[in-house]
Amino acid sequence: YQVLEDVGKKLKSRHDSILDELQVDGIEDFNGPELKIRTRTRVRPGQHAPVSRIIRKEIMAAFNREGLTIPFEKRYKFA
């Protein structure tokens, strides 16, 4: 969870809309190639949607920097 915690610290210092650092609650679900990790972040009222987009963007950037990959499920369509 260290990468996620580092993202939380970085975002808290850069965005006034974020009131508390990102908290990692743990793994919520395993489902095939999918892994859900539950996080929480307190933000100013009305800022949930924009902050959630920023958080997801920063998490993906951090994963890429660290060489962490997400195994996307391959889907095939036969015509």
Side-chain angles (χ1 to χ4, degrees):
Y1 300 138
Q2 188 63 51
V3 173
L4 297 173
E5 291 170 353
D6 292 345
V7 167
K9 289 176 186 172
K10 177 178 145 184
L11 290 173
K12 169 77 169 82
S13 68
R14 291 185 179 177
H15 297 279
D16 292 338
S17 296
I18 299 175
L19 302 175
D20 291 328
E21 292 179 7
L22 179 140
Q23 294 179 341
V24 180
D25 290 339
I27 296 173
E28 188 171 284
D29 189 24
F30 281 114
N31 186 9
E34 186 175 285
L35 169 68
K36 289 184 184 179
I37 300 174
R38 182 167 178 81
T39 64
R40 290 183 291 151
T41 307
R42 278 190 52 224
V43 300
R44 294 194 186 282
Q47 295 299 306
H48 293 87
V51 168
S52 66
R53 285 190 291 272
I54 291 168
I55 290 171
R56 285 191 297 270
K57 180 181 175 185
E58 289 297 325
I59 287 172
M60 284 304 299
F63 280 8
N64 288 335
R65 278 193 306 276
E66 296 293 325
L68 301 172
T69 59
I70 298 173
F72 293 104
E73 185 176 343
K74 294 180 182 177
R75 296 178 188 215
Y76 299 96
K77 182 177 180 181
F78 297 100

